Amino acid sequence: MKPTISVGALGGTICMSAKNSGGGVKPSFSAEQLLEAVPKLSNLANFRAKTLFALASGSLKVENLIEVYHWAKKEVENGADGVVITQGTDSLEESAFLLNLLWDEQKPLVITGAMRNPDQISSDGAGNIYASVLTALDKNSHNRGVLVVFNNTIHSARWVHKSNTFALETFVSINAGIQGVIAEDEVKYINLASKRVIFKAPSGVLPKVSIVTSYMGECGCELKLLEDAKFNGVVVASFGAGHVSIDSMKVIESLKFPVVISSRTGSGVIAKKTYGYYGSEITLQESGCIMSGWLNPLQSRLLLIVLLANGKSKAEILETFDKI
Ligand code: ASP
């Protein structure tokens, strides 16, 4: 008997066309239509397809992805051997990272999309769906959490990052390297599964957490505004290895909500014990800040939302950012 793969479509370039509307591509194709565009798939598995959202990925919300988690989990409970999600690439790394914090199944959850829409020559959507299904069907994909399959390359949700506005090879696994590749219709892993910590899926109203980027001449005013606007936490995409200006440091010392210090550089681990000047990582920690370790600002924000939504204490939040 053929295995079953469930495919959930959320929108994105992979399903966008200008044929019906003109004036630029917009979400147009359903999950079923995306599968119909890859006839070869029917030899591999039986499919259950569902259009969950038809959005550009910049409009997806954390709440939407929690819905996707529950849908995917139900699919597995109802016998699916793996799940493939299609979505826009703009926020794909955030969806993947968030779902990876929640995905408590051994079976694979694979996310893909496209850089070229179906109206374009050499659009990559069909090939990415095909490679994602191969990955979802492969037993070696079990216990690897959420995977991103793009351009015949397999990334862990823990490290994947969109690095380019138009390139087909936009997704890279900063710091850690890729998990594997798809070659000659086969899934070939070259790295061990990434370490994971799994949390209960949040429900109800989610905590409001923003990201503020450090910049030359920053005054910390945005941080103050967030507190006034009743945000529940902030991630600072700080200078270098975890540094802010003297003015921002003064504001941070006065903030009552959790402040996570990540880096605006795009790669590398955050410092903990090198610099001692006012505004450095040592003084930020002394004022109660949480250092993000290897997590970039987008990942740090999602982790902080999940931790706050699960009612974790400051000590537990610090411990989690330390070990993840
Ligand atoms: N703007 C699109 C989106 O994220 C880009 C894409 O799908 O690649 O929905």
Side-chain angles (χ1 to χ4, degrees):
M1 211 177 68
K2 277 195 269 187
T4 299
I5 296 293
S6 295
V7 177
L10 314 189
T13 296
I14 193 165
C15 78
M16 291 192 190
S17 170
K19 289 203 173 120
N20 298 329
S21 51
V25 298
K26 298 184 182 103
S28 304
F29 300 120
S30 65
E32 285 85 358
Q33 288 169 313
L34 294 181
L35 290 175
E36 279 161 21
V38 201
K40 214 173 158 182
L41 285 176
S42 55
N43 303 328
L44 299 176
N46 295 318
F47 289 90
R48 300 202 288 246
K50 181 142 175 108
T51 306
L52 296 160
F53 303 101
L55 292 168
S57 70
S59 291
L60 286 170
K61 296 185 173 142
V62 170
E63 289 86 343
N64 298 144
L65 271 303
I66 293 171
E67 264 182 78
V68 172
Y69 160 77
H70 288 297
W71 172 80
K73 195 161 165 61
K74 234 189 205 102
E75 289 300 308
V76 168
E77 283 164 5
N78 291 334
D81 295 283
V83 179
V84 174
I85 301 294
T86 62
Q87 76 150 84
T89 57
D90 289 351
S91 69
L92 194 150
E93 69 197 79
E94 289 169 83
S95 299
F97 184 81
L98 175 64
L99 288 169
N100 199 43
L101 293 177
L102 312 179
W103 190 240
D104 47 357
E105 296 287 342
Q106 296 183 359
K107 289 180 180 168
L109 176 55
V110 178
I111 311 189
T112 194
M115 289 304 287
R116 293 186 188 149
N117 67 67
D119 297 352
Q120 287 178 290
I121 293 169
S122 296
S123 64
D124 52 335
N128 283 341
I129 291 178
Y130 181 65
S132 297
V133 169
L134 288 179
T135 305
L137 286 170
D138 197 288
K139 287 280 176 285
N140 292 320
S141 300
H142 285 212
N143 292 315
R144 284 184 181 265
V146 175
L147 299 166
V148 170
V149 173
F150 222 91
N151 203 33
N152 281 331
T153 309
I154 308 170
H155 301 267
S156 164
R158 171 67 185 78
W159 301 105
V160 72
H161 168 60
K162 183 176 180 179
S163 67
N164 187 282
T165 50
F166 282 107
L168 292 186
E169 68 278 20
T170 184
F171 285 99
V172 292
S173 283
I174 302 273
N175 296 316
I178 62 169
Q179 291 276 291
V181 297
I182 293 95
E184 297 183 310
D185 290 337
E186 283 179 22
V187 175
K188 297 172 191 288
Y189 282 101
I190 52 175
N191 259 325
L192 296 175
S194 299
K195 195 173 76 174
R196 301 178 65 212
V197 186
I198 301 169
F199 300 92
K200 194 170 163 293
S203 57
V205 180
L206 293 174
K208 289 203 300 184
V209 177
S210 187
I211 300 173
V212 172
T213 302
S214 284
Y215 54 87
M216 186 180 279
E218 64 177 351
C219 58
C221 317
E222 297 88 346
L223 296 166
K224 191 86 204 68
L225 287 173
L226 289 175
E227 193 168 63
D228 296 344
K230 308 237 172 327
F231 270 69
N232 305 99
V234 68
V235 175
V236 179
S238 71
F239 294 114
H243 310 136
V244 298
S245 69
I246 292 168
D247 289 348
S248 280
M249 185 71 207
K250 281 184 195 152
V251 176
I252 286 171
E253 283 176 328
S254 74
L255 294 174
K256 305 275 177 306
F257 57 40
V259 180
V260 177
I261 305 295
S262 184
S263 173
R264 67 175 201 170
T265 59
S267 66
V269 70
I270 214 83
K272 280 201 150 172
K273 53 186 183 187
T274 301
Y275 294 95
Y277 59 83
Y278 189 70
S280 69
E281 74 276 10
I282 291 178
T283 58
L284 284 162
Q285 287 170 95
E286 282 165 359
S287 74
C289 290
I290 300 147
M291 306 311 274
S292 76
W294 290 97
L295 299 185
N296 68 34
L298 299 173
Q299 296 171 330
S300 302
R301 172 181 173 266
L302 293 167
L303 179 59
L304 186 57
I305 290 173
V306 170
L307 291 170
L308 291 172
N310 275 290
K312 300 291 181 193
S313 67
K314 177 79 183 291
E316 289 169 318
I317 294 174
L318 271 165
E319 195 195 319
T320 307
F321 272 89
D322 259 348
K323 73 177 177 205
I324 203 166

